[in-house]
Amino acid sequence: LFSYQVHEKSILLACLPAALLTLESPACAIYFAFVSTFSMFPLLVKDGLVAPYGCCLAIYFAAASLNGRILFDESWKWILFVASVFFALVLNVLKVAVEPPLRFPYLFDLAISAFAFVHFLGFYLFWNIKLWKLKTRQSGIKSD
């Protein structure tokens, strides 16, 4: 683990607290894990791990949707999730199957990174807003 690339280790640090929030917000935790894995796709292509990536994502989504579809409380969130996953898969196919223009050799890497960044920013805002909306617990200490 210590010899592997820096991004893979650093994204694990963010995935652990997100996994712990699965009971609080299952759809968001599942979605965060997907985006985290997707953000590593250019590195996985470089290491020749596209097939294991696809198999792991298929198994992950199959396990996540055992109770029917992934739990979203509103249908528009489900539509955004499906559109986002579809767009991510299109970027995956473009990265693997299409040669980027010679003028922009890292075009697909940039698109994948920008897509992941927008999602990570959204997760950051979502969880911070959710944190600030929590009711504070009374500590039992009386103030003077």
Side-chain angles (χ1 to χ4, degrees):
L1 179 66
F2 293 106
S3 65
Y4 208 53
Q5 295 173 345
V6 174
H7 179 73
E8 283 82 355
K9 291 184 283 191
S10 64
I11 201 65
L12 288 174
L13 294 174
C15 281
L16 181 62
L20 295 173
L21 290 172
T22 301
L23 294 177
E24 179 70 29
S25 182
C28 199
I30 290 167
Y31 192 30
F32 184 82
F34 166 71
V35 173
S36 298
T37 307
F38 170 75
S39 71
M40 294 188 295
F41 188 69
L43 300 171
L44 296 173
V45 169
K46 188 176 184 180
D47 292 338
L49 299 172
V50 175
Y53 164 81
C55 292
C56 286
L57 278 183
I59 292 169
Y60 181 72
F61 280 123
S65 61
L66 285 177
N67 291 336
R69 78 176 193 201
I70 298 171
L71 305 173
F72 284 96
D73 51 353
E74 298 170 12
S75 63
W76 66 270
K77 290 180 183 177
W78 172 251
I79 292 170
L80 284 177
F81 172 74
V82 170
S84 177
V85 169
F86 176 75
F87 188 66
L89 294 177
V90 167
L91 284 174
N92 285 344
V93 170
L94 286 174
K95 171 73 176 151
V96 173
V98 177
E99 192 69 30
L102 292 176
R103 187 172 177 198
F104 304 110
Y106 300 106
L107 178 67
F108 300 130
D109 296 339
L110 175 66
I112 289 170
S113 297
F115 181 82
F117 170 76
V118 168
H119 282 80
F120 289 138
L121 182 64
F123 288 122
Y124 176 78
L125 293 173
F126 171 78
W127 277 323
N128 274 301
I129 290 169
K130 196 165 184 158
L131 175 70
W132 286 105
K133 286 184 176 182
L134 286 176
K135 293 182 181 179
T136 58
R137 294 182 183 172
Q138 304 252 342
S139 63
I141 299 173
K142 293 184 181 180
S143 61
D144 292 336

